[in-house]
Amino acid sequence: MTRDAEISQKPSPSKWRLILSVFLPFAAGYYLAYLFRTINAAISPALASDFGLDAAEVGLLASVYFLVFGLAQIPIGVFLDRLGPRRVQGVLLVIAAGGATLFGTASSFPELLVARAMIGLGVAGSLMAGLKAVVTWFPRERVALMNGWMIMLGSLGAVTATAPTDWLLNWIGWRSLFEVLTIGTVVVAGLIYMIVPERAADSEIGTPAQKPLTLRSVYSDPRFLRVAPLSAACIGSSWALQSLWAAAWLTDVEGFDQQSRVHQMFLMAVVLSFGALFVGAMADRLRKHNIRTEILLAGMGGLFVVAQLALILRVPLPSLLPWSMVSIAGAATVLSFAAIADYFPKQFAARANGALNLLHFGWAFMVQYGIGLVVGQWPSQDGHYPVAAYQAAFGLSVALQTAALVWFAMPWISTFGKGLCRLFARPAKPRGISAGSGRPAFERPIFEACDGVDW
């Protein structure tokens, strides 16, 4: 009997045991990652005051997390496929704890940068480790739904980074807050390492007959090339906005005071959390009707662009509405990672997810730092930047997202164009028969099967 057959004959853990010993520990790790990602919006005013930071330095401090996080995706993906998520995630979270300790004791801007980079490295595998565990232990048809639950619970970190964090800041200060985060990170690392079961198949790369999955093969896959720019542009931009610039917009453009800003950021985070679950459930239901996840991703991308345009053009709407859509766009990872799971074998799921996540966080770094650079071109008045500065910065980001959306839709645009040409340019045939079809022209479909989108 082969090893694979022996593994397949081992009884699978019950559903509730999987949830308690596999799903929830990794969800806790992703919760910490989301908390560390979005906490800068709450602590930036205090940091700017204590260290005398300008808009560009605040943007750099927040975005260095995304830069290191993104650069770590590929090697972490390889380690996750080789060693399994339990060991990799447990070790990485210890690094995050060290970064949190250094951040809380920093006395200069360079120390803050190094600490923030360590935190980014330490939590860089949180989502991928959870996704790897979901792909490994749960049925493929439930991946999108479980991803939705994972991101919903993890995004509660964004909720924690609003009103609860503001309350703690007023009570114990930002340095003591990072002491608490250090302890919490060590606890989660220990739980993951001790209670998550090991699965023999987790650390197998595959049989020698299988073609190894390389970074080049992922980035050259035509399906990946179609989805990745849209996913990176929308998700990365959403993360950059919610984790820093949404709070600045609400203060400088909307004129919110601290209490109003914290209240709206809290509501946005709640919308993000439940939006992730809703998107995952919707994707799960649409798959049952043979509607591909990528279609829903494109729809969310379009709504995301519209929401930002409403902000830029100052459409007379409650700002919570467009900002809620901006938040929900950050949960589109539910869709893009579910799509990637269909493209590549699950033995290489972490590597493929890492390749996509590299683009997500690379884009988030560029947008978050780039907005700071653009906004900084305008002089501030009493620490506030003018509306035109934010409109220009946000507008450049929207232009790139629109280009990515058009690129994603090119197969449909091409097919539609061919259909119109076929409909209007073909000369009429006698007796209503279309050339080569044997059917009346009015019965022949405009879109032929050969013109369909190849995913």
Side-chain angles (χ1 to χ4, degrees), residues 261-442:
R261 186 190 71 239
V262 169
H263 178 68
Q264 176 138 324
M265 294 293 293
F266 174 79
L267 293 177
M268 288 166 55
V270 171
V271 169
L272 166 65
S273 181
F274 287 97
L277 180 59
F278 174 75
V279 170
M282 181 181 294
D284 184 67
R285 182 170 294 274
L286 291 177
R287 284 175 70 95
K288 295 177 181 178
H289 294 86
N290 296 321
I291 299 176
R292 298 191 66 91
T293 306
E294 297 90 337
I295 306 301
L296 185 55
L297 176 64
M300 288 194 64
L303 290 175
F304 180 49
V305 168
V306 170
Q308 292 170 94
L309 288 175
L311 292 170
I312 294 169
L313 299 176
R314 309 292 288 132
V315 176
L317 292 171
S319 64
L320 180 60
L321 295 179
W323 276 116
S324 293
M325 188 61 231
V326 170
S327 297
I328 293 175
T333 47
V334 174
L335 307 175
S336 52
F337 286 126
I340 293 299
D342 288 336
Y343 298 164
F344 305 102
K346 73 177 183 178
Q347 293 94 333
F348 309 112
R351 239 165 294 191
N353 288 338
L356 181 59
N357 229 16
L358 169 61
L359 301 181
H360 288 159
F361 284 93
W363 196 288
F365 166 77
M366 292 188 297
V367 170
Q368 196 163 74
Y369 186 37
I371 288 177
L373 290 176
V374 174
V375 169
Q377 301 306 306
W378 277 260
S380 64
Q381 296 181 354
D382 299 326
H384 299 287
Y385 291 91
V387 176
Y390 290 98
Q391 289 175 321
F394 284 26
L396 289 174
S397 178
V398 169
L400 295 174
Q401 296 159 33
T402 303
L405 187 60
V406 171
W407 169 253
F408 176 86
M410 281 303 295
W412 285 277
I413 295 173
S414 177
T415 300
F416 183 71
K418 290 177 181 179
L420 288 180
C421 290
R422 186 180 297 126
L423 181 64
F424 294 110
R426 181 179 293 115
K429 298 296 179 182
R431 293 185 299 276
I433 303 299
S434 61
S437 68
R439 288 180 291 168
F442 62 83

Side-chain angles (χ1 to χ4, degrees), residues 31 33 88 112 141 147 156 191 202 206 233 254 335 337 339 359 412 422 432:
Y31 165 86
V88 174
L112 288 176
E141 62 273 12
N147 286 355
L156 291 176
L191 285 175
D202 286 355
E254 304 288 345
L335 307 175
F337 286 126
L359 301 181
W412 285 277
R422 186 180 297 126

Side-chain angles (χ1 to χ4, degrees), residues 7-74:
I7 292 172
S8 63
Q9 287 185 358
K10 290 182 179 180
S12 299
S14 66
K15 178 178 68 174
W16 287 109
R17 183 181 176 188
L18 284 179
I19 291 173
L20 292 174
S21 64
V22 177
F23 178 80
L24 289 180
F26 286 108
Y30 187 49
Y31 165 86
L32 286 173
Y34 230 118
L35 175 58
F36 280 123
R37 182 193 310 169
T38 53
I39 200 170
N40 264 49
I43 65 175
S44 288
L47 295 177
S49 175
D50 291 353
F51 293 91
L53 308 180
D54 59 20
E57 289 172 326
V58 169
L60 178 60
L61 179 60
S63 62
V64 72
Y65 169 100
F66 291 115
L67 177 62
V68 175
F69 198 118
L71 292 176
Q73 294 304 293
I74 302 301

Side-chain angles (χ1 to χ4, degrees), residues 146-200:
M146 296 308 299
N147 286 355
W149 276 103
M150 175 76 67
I151 294 174
M152 189 275 282
L153 294 176
S155 61
L156 291 176
V159 177
T160 308
T162 56
T165 295
D166 189 66
W167 178 77
L168 283 173
L169 286 173
N170 293 329
W171 182 34
I172 61 176
W174 66 271
R175 293 187 183 274
S176 296
L177 173 61
F178 272 83
E179 293 180 7
V180 174
L181 290 175
T182 298
I183 297 172
T185 305
V186 171
V187 169
V188 173
L191 285 175
I192 289 175
Y193 197 83
M194 290 187 293
I195 74 172
V196 173
E198 196 71 50
R199 191 167 189 170

